[in-house]
Amino acid sequence: MATGDGGAVSVTSAERKPSGSTIGVLVVLAAVGLWAAYRHVHPAEAAVYDWDFAVLWKYRTLLISGLGYTLLFTVMCVVLGLFFGVVSGLGRLSHNPLIAGPFRAYVEVFRCTPALVQLVWFYYALPVLSGIEMSATVAATLCLSLYGGAFYSEIVRGGIISTDVGQTEAGKALGMTRYQVLKRVVLPQAFKKMVPPLMSQSIMQLKNTSLLSVLAVPDLLYQGQVIAHDTYRPLEVYTFIAVAYFAVLLPVTLWSKRMEFGSGPREA
């Protein structure tokens, strides 16, 4: 963006152009539309399989409840994950190895093992070791929250250490304590850098909910599996699930892109 002599704001050509992701989405949607039109005009030539999405209408209640459960579960995991991430991210910045060490071990363990393996371990092995019985929902919530928190932790730590060290020294020169420097100087600047990766990781949390069906948690994918077994229409069911995830994630993804550009450095 640039300003002329009269103070009017002119928009550069780069800002007017649609993003590559938007163009890609439009191309995909156009291709799907053309395929659907061809399928309607030439039903015999389009495919051997007889597609019938009307059968899903009978199970709309299950699909809606599964989608609602998925979204609610995502919100819970994101909120708890952010809590774990902020605590562990700040803990890793401690100069005391007795504090930073356990947090680093937590981050590395959860980042270096697959989420699916963690889910199974939390549900089957953790109750045996701890003697505490937990439902599939509780085990999945705890697991994915800790899993996401490990990635949030690195985002928080990276955002803080990327802040110019001169800002910290200036705060100390003004007589601020380390906590005051962190709260008033470092975190406000670091937060702008954290927003894009935090949004991306939150989107990944929504995708990770598709693993819940392994523990029979009634999310969208699990309800889809039940419907597929009942109707023998797996292609229609999983196509609908893919479209549902896409419809939910596309606006969030585009919004995160706008936030990413908005949080970047601005030229005078």
Side-chain angles (χ1 to χ4, degrees):
M1 182 169 299
T3 58
D5 295 336
V9 178
S10 62
V11 181
T12 63
S13 59
E15 292 175 327
R16 289 196 298 266
K17 292 181 179 179
S19 63
S21 60
T22 303
I23 295 176
V25 169
L26 293 176
V27 170
V28 172
L29 292 177
V32 172
L34 291 174
W35 175 84
Y38 181 82
R39 174 71 175 84
H40 179 74
V41 176
H42 305 283
E45 300 177 7
V48 177
Y49 183 76
D50 185 19
W51 293 82
D52 183 17
F53 286 95
V55 71
L56 299 180
W57 180 252
K58 177 182 176 182
Y59 300 91
R60 61 188 181 278
T61 303
L62 279 179
L63 293 171
I64 293 174
S65 65
L67 179 59
Y69 196 96
T70 295
L71 295 177
L72 178 62
F73 194 90
T74 301
V75 172
M76 292 174 55
C77 288
V78 168
V79 172
L80 291 174
L82 283 172
F83 172 76
F84 293 137
V86 171
V87 172
S88 59
L90 295 176
R92 289 197 62 187
L93 294 173
S94 173
H95 298 301
N96 187 342
L98 296 178
I99 297 177
F103 285 119
R104 180 175 183 178
Y106 150 67
V107 170
E108 297 302 331
V109 167
F110 278 89
R111 289 181 65 204
C112 298
T113 52
L116 180 58
V117 174
Q118 294 175 20
L119 279 171
V120 174
W121 191 90
F122 265 75
Y123 184 57
Y124 292 104
L126 185 58
V128 175
L129 295 176
S130 64
I132 302 175
E133 293 294 332
M134 62 181 68
S135 65
T137 301
V138 173
T141 302
L142 181 60
C143 175
L144 289 187
S145 297
L146 289 171
Y147 177 78
F151 290 90
Y152 287 133
S153 174
E154 286 297 280
I155 294 172
V156 171
R157 188 181 70 89
I160 292 175
I161 64 177
S162 66
T163 305
D164 186 4
V165 68
Q167 302 287 334
T168 302
E169 295 175 351
K172 291 180 179 179
L174 292 175
M176 294 184 184
T177 64
R178 187 180 181 189
Y179 172 76
Q180 290 175 327
V181 171
L182 182 65
K183 178 182 178 182
R184 299 178 182 179
V185 180
V186 177
L187 285 181
Q189 299 180 58
F191 181 73
K192 295 181 179 180
K193 303 176 183 179
M194 296 179 196
V195 169
L198 286 176
M199 291 296 300
S200 298
Q201 183 57 37
S202 298
I203 291 173
M204 289 301 301
Q205 285 289 81
L206 176 56
K207 294 180 181 179
N208 288 337
T209 59
S210 61
L211 301 173
L212 300 179
S213 59
V214 175
L215 303 183
V217 176
D219 71 318
L220 181 59
L221 183 58
Y222 177 79
Q223 300 289 25
Q225 292 174 344
V226 172
I227 297 171
H229 292 159
D230 191 32
T231 61
Y232 298 100
R233 289 285 179 177
L235 298 186
E236 288 89 339
V237 172
Y238 293 124
T239 300
F240 173 83
I241 292 174
V243 172
Y245 270 102
F246 179 80
V248 172
L249 286 171
L250 178 61
V252 179
T253 303
L254 296 178
W255 180 49
S256 67
K257 285 290 185 181
R258 293 177 63 88
M259 293 187 67
E260 179 178 352
F261 291 126
S263 62
R266 297 178 180 275
E267 296 182 0

Short mmCIF file of all heavy atoms in Angstrom, two decimals, residues 34-91:
data_model
loop_
_atom_site.label_atom_id
_atom_site.label_comp_id
_atom_site.label_asym_id
_atom_site.label_seq_id
_atom_site.Cartn_x
_atom_site.Cartn_y
_atom_site.Cartn_z
N LEU A 34 -17.93 -29.29 -13.19
CA LEU A 34 -17.95 -29.87 -14.53
C LEU A 34 -18.17 -31.38 -14.48
O LEU A 34 -18.92 -31.95 -15.29
CB LEU A 34 -16.64 -29.55 -15.26
CG LEU A 34 -16.43 -28.07 -15.64
CD1 LEU A 34 -15.03 -27.87 -16.21
CD2 LEU A 34 -17.49 -27.64 -16.65
N TRP A 35 -17.50 -32.03 -13.52
CA TRP A 35 -17.69 -33.47 -13.38
C TRP A 35 -19.13 -33.80 -13.04
O TRP A 35 -19.72 -34.74 -13.57
CB TRP A 35 -16.77 -34.02 -12.30
CG TRP A 35 -16.99 -35.48 -12.02
CD1 TRP A 35 -16.46 -36.54 -12.69
CD2 TRP A 35 -17.82 -36.04 -11.00
NE1 TRP A 35 -16.91 -37.72 -12.15
CE2 TRP A 35 -17.75 -37.44 -11.11
CE3 TRP A 35 -18.61 -35.47 -10.00
CZ2 TRP A 35 -18.43 -38.29 -10.26
CZ3 TRP A 35 -19.30 -36.31 -9.16
CH2 TRP A 35 -19.21 -37.71 -9.28
N ALA A 36 -19.74 -33.02 -12.13
CA ALA A 36 -21.12 -33.27 -11.73
C ALA A 36 -22.07 -33.05 -12.91
O ALA A 36 -23.03 -33.81 -13.09
CB ALA A 36 -21.50 -32.35 -10.56
N ALA A 37 -21.80 -32.01 -13.71
CA ALA A 37 -22.64 -31.76 -14.88
C ALA A 37 -22.54 -32.90 -15.89
O ALA A 37 -23.54 -33.37 -16.46
CB ALA A 37 -22.26 -30.43 -15.53
N TYR A 38 -21.31 -33.37 -16.13
CA TYR A 38 -21.12 -34.47 -17.05
C TYR A 38 -21.79 -35.74 -16.53
O TYR A 38 -22.38 -36.51 -17.29
CB TYR A 38 -19.63 -34.71 -17.25
CG TYR A 38 -19.32 -35.84 -18.22
CD1 TYR A 38 -19.35 -35.62 -19.59
CD2 TYR A 38 -19.01 -37.12 -17.75
CE1 TYR A 38 -19.08 -36.66 -20.48
CE2 TYR A 38 -18.74 -38.15 -18.63
CZ TYR A 38 -18.78 -37.92 -20.00
OH TYR A 38 -18.53 -38.94 -20.86
N ARG A 39 -21.70 -35.94 -15.24
CA ARG A 39 -22.32 -37.12 -14.62
C ARG A 39 -23.84 -37.07 -14.78
O ARG A 39 -24.49 -38.10 -14.97
CB ARG A 39 -21.94 -37.16 -13.12
CG ARG A 39 -22.64 -38.26 -12.33
CD ARG A 39 -22.11 -39.62 -12.69
NE ARG A 39 -22.71 -40.64 -11.85
CZ ARG A 39 -23.89 -41.21 -12.06
NH1 ARG A 39 -24.61 -40.86 -13.10
NH2 ARG A 39 -24.34 -42.14 -11.24
N HIS A 40 -24.40 -35.87 -14.73
CA HIS A 40 -25.85 -35.73 -14.86
C HIS A 40 -26.30 -35.93 -16.31
O HIS A 40 -27.34 -36.55 -16.57
CB HIS A 40 -26.28 -34.34 -14.37
CG HIS A 40 -27.75 -34.09 -14.48
ND1 HIS A 40 -28.66 -34.68 -13.62
CD2 HIS A 40 -28.47 -33.31 -15.35
CE1 HIS A 40 -29.88 -34.29 -13.95
NE2 HIS A 40 -29.78 -33.46 -14.99
N VAL A 41 -25.50 -35.44 -17.26
CA VAL A 41 -25.88 -35.55 -18.68
C VAL A 41 -25.61 -36.94 -19.23
O VAL A 41 -26.38 -37.49 -20.00
CB VAL A 41 -25.13 -34.48 -19.51
CG1 VAL A 41 -25.43 -34.63 -20.99
CG2 VAL A 41 -25.50 -33.09 -19.02
N HIS A 42 -24.49 -37.55 -18.80
CA HIS A 42 -24.12 -38.88 -19.28
C HIS A 42 -23.97 -39.83 -18.10
O HIS A 42 -22.85 -40.22 -17.75
CB HIS A 42 -22.80 -38.82 -20.06
CG HIS A 42 -22.84 -37.84 -21.21
ND1 HIS A 42 -23.46 -38.11 -22.40
CD2 HIS A 42 -22.30 -36.59 -21.32
CE1 HIS A 42 -23.32 -37.06 -23.22
NE2 HIS A 42 -22.62 -36.13 -22.58
N PRO A 43 -25.06 -40.21 -17.49
CA PRO A 43 -24.95 -41.06 -16.29
C PRO A 43 -24.34 -42.42 -16.56
O PRO A 43 -23.65 -42.98 -15.72
CB PRO A 43 -26.41 -41.18 -15.83
CG PRO A 43 -27.23 -40.91 -17.06
CD PRO A 43 -26.45 -39.92 -17.83
N ALA A 44 -24.57 -42.98 -17.72
CA ALA A 44 -24.06 -44.32 -18.01
C ALA A 44 -22.58 -44.31 -18.30
O ALA A 44 -21.88 -45.29 -18.05
CB ALA A 44 -24.82 -44.92 -19.20
N GLU A 45 -22.08 -43.19 -18.85
CA GLU A 45 -20.68 -43.13 -19.24
C GLU A 45 -19.79 -42.56 -18.13
O GLU A 45 -18.58 -42.74 -18.16
CB GLU A 45 -20.52 -42.24 -20.48
CG GLU A 45 -21.31 -42.77 -21.69
CD GLU A 45 -21.19 -41.82 -22.87
OE1 GLU A 45 -20.39 -40.87 -22.75
OE2 GLU A 45 -21.89 -42.02 -23.87
N ALA A 46 -20.39 -41.86 -17.19
CA ALA A 46 -19.58 -41.17 -16.19
C ALA A 46 -18.88 -42.12 -15.26
O ALA A 46 -17.71 -41.95 -14.94
CB ALA A 46 -20.46 -40.21 -15.38
N ALA A 47 -19.55 -43.15 -14.81
CA ALA A 47 -18.94 -44.09 -13.87
C ALA A 47 -19.79 -45.34 -13.79
O ALA A 47 -21.00 -45.32 -14.02
CB ALA A 47 -18.80 -43.45 -12.49
N VAL A 48 -19.14 -46.45 -13.46
CA VAL A 48 -19.88 -47.70 -13.28
C VAL A 48 -20.64 -47.67 -11.97
O VAL A 48 -21.74 -48.21 -11.86
CB VAL A 48 -18.90 -48.89 -13.33
CG1 VAL A 48 -19.63 -50.19 -13.07
CG2 VAL A 48 -18.17 -48.93 -14.66
N TYR A 49 -20.08 -47.04 -10.97
CA TYR A 49 -20.72 -46.99 -9.65
C TYR A 49 -21.93 -46.08 -9.69
O TYR A 49 -21.90 -44.99 -10.26
CB TYR A 49 -19.72 -46.48 -8.62
CG TYR A 49 -20.25 -46.46 -7.21
CD1 TYR A 49 -20.36 -47.63 -6.47
CD2 TYR A 49 -20.67 -45.27 -6.62
CE1 TYR A 49 -20.84 -47.63 -5.18
CE2 TYR A 49 -21.14 -45.24 -5.33
CZ TYR A 49 -21.23 -46.43 -4.61
OH TYR A 49 -21.71 -46.43 -3.33
N ASP A 50 -23.02 -46.50 -9.11
CA ASP A 50 -24.26 -45.73 -9.08
C ASP A 50 -24.30 -44.89 -7.81
O ASP A 50 -24.65 -45.37 -6.73
CB ASP A 50 -25.47 -46.68 -9.13
CG ASP A 50 -26.78 -45.92 -9.22
OD1 ASP A 50 -26.74 -44.73 -9.61
OD2 ASP A 50 -27.84 -46.50 -8.89
N TRP A 51 -23.89 -43.63 -7.94
CA TRP A 51 -23.86 -42.74 -6.79
C TRP A 51 -25.28 -42.40 -6.34
O TRP A 51 -26.15 -42.13 -7.15
CB TRP A 51 -23.12 -41.44 -7.14
CG TRP A 51 -21.66 -41.65 -7.41
CD1 TRP A 51 -21.10 -42.06 -8.58
CD2 TRP A 51 -20.59 -41.46 -6.49
NE1 TRP A 51 -19.74 -42.14 -8.46
CE2 TRP A 51 -19.39 -41.77 -7.18
CE3 TRP A 51 -20.52 -41.06 -5.16
CZ2 TRP A 51 -18.15 -41.69 -6.58
CZ3 TRP A 51 -19.28 -40.98 -4.56
CH2 TRP A 51 -18.11 -41.29 -5.27
N ASP A 52 -25.49 -42.39 -5.03
CA ASP A 52 -26.81 -42.06 -4.47
C ASP A 52 -26.62 -41.36 -3.13
O ASP A 52 -26.58 -42.01 -2.07
CB ASP A 52 -27.66 -43.32 -4.31
CG ASP A 52 -29.05 -43.00 -3.81
OD1 ASP A 52 -29.45 -41.83 -3.88
OD2 ASP A 52 -29.74 -43.93 -3.33
N PHE A 53 -26.52 -40.04 -3.19
CA PHE A 53 -26.33 -39.27 -1.96
C PHE A 53 -27.63 -39.07 -1.19
O PHE A 53 -27.60 -38.65 -0.04
CB PHE A 53 -25.71 -37.90 -2.28
CG PHE A 53 -24.26 -37.96 -2.63
CD1 PHE A 53 -23.86 -38.03 -3.96
CD2 PHE A 53 -23.28 -37.96 -1.65
CE1 PHE A 53 -22.51 -38.09 -4.29
CE2 PHE A 53 -21.94 -38.02 -1.97
CZ PHE A 53 -21.55 -38.09 -3.29
N ALA A 54 -28.76 -39.37 -1.84
CA ALA A 54 -30.04 -39.18 -1.18
C ALA A 54 -30.18 -40.07 0.05
O ALA A 54 -30.91 -39.74 0.99
CB ALA A 54 -31.19 -39.46 -2.16
N VAL A 55 -29.44 -41.17 0.06
CA VAL A 55 -29.55 -42.09 1.20
C VAL A 55 -29.04 -41.45 2.49
O VAL A 55 -29.44 -41.85 3.59
CB VAL A 55 -28.77 -43.38 0.89
CG1 VAL A 55 -27.27 -43.12 0.92
CG2 VAL A 55 -29.13 -44.49 1.87
N LEU A 56 -28.20 -40.43 2.37
CA LEU A 56 -27.63 -39.79 3.57
C LEU A 56 -28.67 -38.94 4.31
O LEU A 56 -28.49 -38.66 5.49
CB LEU A 56 -26.44 -38.92 3.18
CG LEU A 56 -25.25 -39.64 2.53
CD1 LEU A 56 -24.17 -38.63 2.20
CD2 LEU A 56 -24.72 -40.72 3.44
N TRP A 57 -29.73 -38.54 3.60
CA TRP A 57 -30.74 -37.70 4.24
C TRP A 57 -31.38 -38.39 5.43
O TRP A 57 -31.73 -37.74 6.43
CB TRP A 57 -31.80 -37.30 3.22
CG TRP A 57 -32.88 -36.42 3.80
CD1 TRP A 57 -34.17 -36.75 4.05
CD2 TRP A 57 -32.74 -35.04 4.17
NE1 TRP A 57 -34.86 -35.69 4.58
CE2 TRP A 57 -34.00 -34.61 4.66
CE3 TRP A 57 -31.67 -34.14 4.16
CZ2 TRP A 57 -34.22 -33.32 5.12
CZ3 TRP A 57 -31.90 -32.86 4.61
CH2 TRP A 57 -33.16 -32.46 5.08
N LYS A 58 -31.52 -39.69 5.35
CA LYS A 58 -32.12 -40.46 6.44
C LYS A 58 -31.26 -40.39 7.70
O LYS A 58 -31.78 -40.50 8.83
CB LYS A 58 -32.29 -41.91 5.99
CG LYS A 58 -32.83 -42.85 7.05
CD LYS A 58 -32.91 -44.27 6.53
CE LYS A 58 -33.36 -45.24 7.62
NZ LYS A 58 -33.39 -46.64 7.13
N TYR A 59 -29.96 -40.18 7.52
CA TYR A 59 -29.02 -40.18 8.65
C TYR A 59 -28.51 -38.78 8.95
O TYR A 59 -27.44 -38.62 9.55
CB TYR A 59 -27.84 -41.10 8.34
CG TYR A 59 -28.24 -42.53 8.09
CD1 TYR A 59 -28.51 -42.97 6.80
CD2 TYR A 59 -28.35 -43.44 9.13
CE1 TYR A 59 -28.88 -44.29 6.56
CE2 TYR A 59 -28.72 -44.76 8.91
CZ TYR A 59 -28.98 -45.17 7.62
OH TYR A 59 -29.34 -46.48 7.38
N ARG A 60 -29.27 -37.77 8.56
CA ARG A 60 -28.82 -36.39 8.75
C ARG A 60 -28.60 -36.04 10.22
O ARG A 60 -27.69 -35.28 10.56
CB ARG A 60 -29.81 -35.42 8.11
CG ARG A 60 -31.21 -35.47 8.69
CD ARG A 60 -32.16 -34.60 7.86
NE ARG A 60 -33.52 -34.60 8.41
CZ ARG A 60 -34.42 -35.55 8.19
NH1 ARG A 60 -34.10 -36.59 7.43
NH2 ARG A 60 -35.63 -35.46 8.70
N THR A 61 -29.41 -36.63 11.11
CA THR A 61 -29.26 -36.33 12.54
C THR A 61 -27.91 -36.82 13.05
O THR A 61 -27.22 -36.12 13.80
CB THR A 61 -30.38 -36.98 13.35
OG1 THR A 61 -31.65 -36.53 12.85
CG2 THR A 61 -30.26 -36.61 14.82
N LEU A 62 -27.52 -38.04 12.64
CA LEU A 62 -26.23 -38.57 13.05
C LEU A 62 -25.08 -37.72 12.51
O LEU A 62 -24.11 -37.44 13.22
CB LEU A 62 -26.08 -40.02 12.58
CG LEU A 62 -26.74 -41.11 13.40
CD1 LEU A 62 -26.51 -42.47 12.75
CD2 LEU A 62 -26.23 -41.11 14.83
N LEU A 63 -25.19 -37.31 11.25
CA LEU A 63 -24.12 -36.53 10.64
C LEU A 63 -24.00 -35.15 11.30
O LEU A 63 -22.89 -34.67 11.56
CB LEU A 63 -24.39 -36.37 9.14
CG LEU A 63 -24.29 -37.66 8.32
CD1 LEU A 63 -24.78 -37.42 6.90
CD2 LEU A 63 -22.86 -38.18 8.31
N ILE A 64 -25.13 -34.54 11.60
CA ILE A 64 -25.09 -33.22 12.24
C ILE A 64 -24.54 -33.32 13.65
O ILE A 64 -23.71 -32.50 14.07
CB ILE A 64 -26.51 -32.59 12.25
CG1 ILE A 64 -26.95 -32.27 10.82
CG2 ILE A 64 -26.52 -31.33 13.10
CD1 ILE A 64 -28.39 -31.79 10.72
N SER A 65 -24.97 -34.35 14.39
CA SER A 65 -24.44 -34.51 15.75
C SER A 65 -22.95 -34.83 15.73
O SER A 65 -22.19 -34.35 16.57
CB SER A 65 -25.20 -35.63 16.48
OG SER A 65 -24.96 -36.88 15.87
N GLY A 66 -22.52 -35.63 14.75
CA GLY A 66 -21.09 -35.94 14.62
C GLY A 66 -20.27 -34.71 14.30
O GLY A 66 -19.19 -34.50 14.87
N LEU A 67 -20.79 -33.86 13.41
CA LEU A 67 -20.09 -32.62 13.07
C LEU A 67 -20.03 -31.69 14.27
O LEU A 67 -18.99 -31.07 14.56
CB LEU A 67 -20.78 -31.94 11.89
CG LEU A 67 -20.17 -30.61 11.43
CD1 LEU A 67 -18.72 -30.79 11.01
CD2 LEU A 67 -20.99 -30.02 10.30
N GLY A 68 -21.15 -31.58 15.00
CA GLY A 68 -21.17 -30.74 16.20
C GLY A 68 -20.20 -31.24 17.25
O GLY A 68 -19.49 -30.44 17.89
N TYR A 69 -20.14 -32.56 17.42
CA TYR A 69 -19.20 -33.13 18.40
C TYR A 69 -17.77 -32.85 17.98
O TYR A 69 -16.91 -32.53 18.82
CB TYR A 69 -19.44 -34.63 18.50
CG TYR A 69 -18.81 -35.27 19.72
CD1 TYR A 69 -19.55 -35.47 20.88
CD2 TYR A 69 -17.48 -35.65 19.72
CE1 TYR A 69 -18.98 -36.04 22.01
CE2 TYR A 69 -16.90 -36.23 20.84
CZ TYR A 69 -17.66 -36.42 21.98
OH TYR A 69 -17.08 -36.98 23.08
N THR A 70 -17.49 -32.95 16.69
CA THR A 70 -16.14 -32.68 16.19
C THR A 70 -15.73 -31.24 16.46
O THR A 70 -14.61 -30.97 16.91
CB THR A 70 -16.08 -32.98 14.68
OG1 THR A 70 -16.30 -34.38 14.46
CG2 THR A 70 -14.73 -32.59 14.10
N LEU A 71 -16.63 -30.30 16.18
CA LEU A 71 -16.31 -28.89 16.39
C LEU A 71 -16.14 -28.58 17.87
O LEU A 71 -15.20 -27.86 18.27
CB LEU A 71 -17.41 -28.01 15.79
CG LEU A 71 -17.56 -28.09 14.27
CD1 LEU A 71 -18.73 -27.24 13.81
CD2 LEU A 71 -16.29 -27.67 13.56
N LEU A 72 -17.02 -29.14 18.72
CA LEU A 72 -16.90 -28.92 20.16
C LEU A 72 -15.61 -29.51 20.70
O LEU A 72 -14.91 -28.88 21.52
CB LEU A 72 -18.11 -29.53 20.87
CG LEU A 72 -18.12 -29.43 22.41
CD1 LEU A 72 -18.13 -27.98 22.84
CD2 LEU A 72 -19.32 -30.17 22.98
N PHE A 73 -15.28 -30.69 20.24
CA PHE A 73 -14.05 -31.35 20.68
C PHE A 73 -12.83 -30.54 20.25
O PHE A 73 -11.86 -30.43 21.00
CB PHE A 73 -13.99 -32.76 20.11
CG PHE A 73 -12.95 -33.63 20.75
CD1 PHE A 73 -13.25 -34.40 21.87
CD2 PHE A 73 -11.66 -33.68 20.24
CE1 PHE A 73 -12.29 -35.19 22.46
CE2 PHE A 73 -10.70 -34.47 20.83
CZ PHE A 73 -11.02 -35.23 21.94
N THR A 74 -12.89 -29.98 19.05
CA THR A 74 -11.78 -29.17 18.56
C THR A 74 -11.57 -27.94 19.44
O THR A 74 -10.43 -27.60 19.80
CB THR A 74 -12.03 -28.72 17.11
OG1 THR A 74 -12.19 -29.87 16.28
CG2 THR A 74 -10.88 -27.87 16.59
N VAL A 75 -12.65 -27.27 19.79
CA VAL A 75 -12.55 -26.08 20.64
C VAL A 75 -11.94 -26.44 21.99
O VAL A 75 -11.05 -25.74 22.50
CB VAL A 75 -13.94 -25.44 20.83
CG1 VAL A 75 -13.87 -24.31 21.86
CG2 VAL A 75 -14.46 -24.90 19.51
N MET A 76 -12.39 -27.54 22.58
CA MET A 76 -11.85 -27.97 23.87
C MET A 76 -10.36 -28.26 23.77
O MET A 76 -9.56 -27.84 24.63
CB MET A 76 -12.59 -29.22 24.35
CG MET A 76 -14.04 -28.99 24.73
SD MET A 76 -14.89 -30.52 25.11
CE MET A 76 -13.84 -31.21 26.39
N CYS A 77 -9.96 -28.97 22.72
CA CYS A 77 -8.54 -29.33 22.57
C CYS A 77 -7.68 -28.11 22.28
O CYS A 77 -6.53 -28.04 22.73
CB CYS A 77 -8.38 -30.37 21.46
SG CYS A 77 -9.00 -32.00 21.90
N VAL A 78 -8.21 -27.16 21.53
CA VAL A 78 -7.44 -25.95 21.23
C VAL A 78 -7.24 -25.12 22.50
O VAL A 78 -6.13 -24.65 22.79
CB VAL A 78 -8.14 -25.12 20.14
CG1 VAL A 78 -7.52 -23.73 20.04
CG2 VAL A 78 -8.06 -25.82 18.79
N VAL A 79 -8.31 -24.96 23.29
CA VAL A 79 -8.22 -24.16 24.52
C VAL A 79 -7.24 -24.81 25.51
O VAL A 79 -6.34 -24.16 26.05
CB VAL A 79 -9.60 -23.98 25.16
CG1 VAL A 79 -9.48 -23.32 26.54
CG2 VAL A 79 -10.49 -23.14 24.25
N LEU A 80 -7.42 -26.11 25.76
CA LEU A 80 -6.53 -26.80 26.68
C LEU A 80 -5.11 -26.86 26.13
O LEU A 80 -4.13 -26.73 26.87
CB LEU A 80 -7.04 -28.21 26.96
CG LEU A 80 -8.34 -28.31 27.77
CD1 LEU A 80 -8.81 -29.76 27.85
CD2 LEU A 80 -8.15 -27.74 29.16
N GLY A 81 -4.99 -27.08 24.81
CA GLY A 81 -3.67 -27.12 24.19
C GLY A 81 -2.94 -25.79 24.32
O GLY A 81 -1.73 -25.77 24.56
N LEU A 82 -3.65 -24.69 24.16
CA LEU A 82 -3.03 -23.37 24.33
C LEU A 82 -2.56 -23.18 25.76
O LEU A 82 -1.49 -22.61 26.00
CB LEU A 82 -4.03 -22.28 23.94
CG LEU A 82 -4.25 -22.05 22.45
CD1 LEU A 82 -5.40 -21.09 22.22
CD2 LEU A 82 -2.98 -21.54 21.78
N PHE A 83 -3.35 -23.66 26.71
CA PHE A 83 -2.93 -23.55 28.12
C PHE A 83 -1.64 -24.33 28.35
O PHE A 83 -0.67 -23.80 28.91
CB PHE A 83 -4.04 -24.08 29.03
CG PHE A 83 -3.63 -24.20 30.47
CD1 PHE A 83 -3.53 -23.08 31.26
CD2 PHE A 83 -3.31 -25.44 31.02
CE1 PHE A 83 -3.14 -23.18 32.60
CE2 PHE A 83 -2.92 -25.56 32.34
CZ PHE A 83 -2.83 -24.42 33.14
N PHE A 84 -1.61 -25.60 27.91
CA PHE A 84 -0.40 -26.40 28.07
C PHE A 84 0.77 -25.78 27.30
O PHE A 84 1.91 -25.80 27.77
CB PHE A 84 -0.65 -27.83 27.57
CG PHE A 84 -1.62 -28.61 28.41
CD1 PHE A 84 -2.59 -29.40 27.81
CD2 PHE A 84 -1.57 -28.56 29.78
CE1 PHE A 84 -3.49 -30.12 28.57
CE2 PHE A 84 -2.46 -29.28 30.56
CZ PHE A 84 -3.43 -30.06 29.96
N GLY A 85 0.48 -25.24 26.12
CA GLY A 85 1.54 -24.67 25.30
C GLY A 85 2.15 -23.42 25.90
O GLY A 85 3.38 -23.26 25.89
N VAL A 86 1.31 -22.54 26.43
CA VAL A 86 1.83 -21.31 27.04
C VAL A 86 2.65 -21.63 28.28
O VAL A 86 3.75 -21.10 28.48
CB VAL A 86 0.66 -20.36 27.38
CG1 VAL A 86 1.17 -19.18 28.21
CG2 VAL A 86 0.00 -19.85 26.11
N VAL A 87 2.13 -22.52 29.13
CA VAL A 87 2.84 -22.87 30.36
C VAL A 87 4.19 -23.52 30.04
O VAL A 87 5.23 -23.15 30.59
CB VAL A 87 1.99 -23.81 31.24
CG1 VAL A 87 2.81 -24.34 32.41
CG2 VAL A 87 0.76 -23.08 31.74
N SER A 88 4.17 -24.51 29.14
CA SER A 88 5.42 -25.20 28.82
C SER A 88 6.36 -24.32 28.01
O SER A 88 7.59 -24.41 28.16
CB SER A 88 5.12 -26.49 28.05
OG SER A 88 4.41 -26.22 26.84
N GLY A 89 5.81 -23.46 27.15
CA GLY A 89 6.66 -22.55 26.38
C GLY A 89 7.40 -21.59 27.27
O GLY A 89 8.61 -21.35 27.10
N LEU A 90 6.70 -21.02 28.26
CA LEU A 90 7.37 -20.12 29.21
C LEU A 90 8.31 -20.90 30.12
O LEU A 90 9.38 -20.41 30.48
CB LEU A 90 6.31 -19.39 30.05
CG LEU A 90 5.40 -18.42 29.29
CD1 LEU A 90 4.35 -17.83 30.22
CD2 LEU A 90 6.21 -17.30 28.64
N GLY A 91 7.91 -22.13 30.47
CA GLY A 91 8.77 -22.95 31.32
C GLY A 91 10.09 -23.30 30.65
O GLY A 91 11.13 -23.37 31.31
#
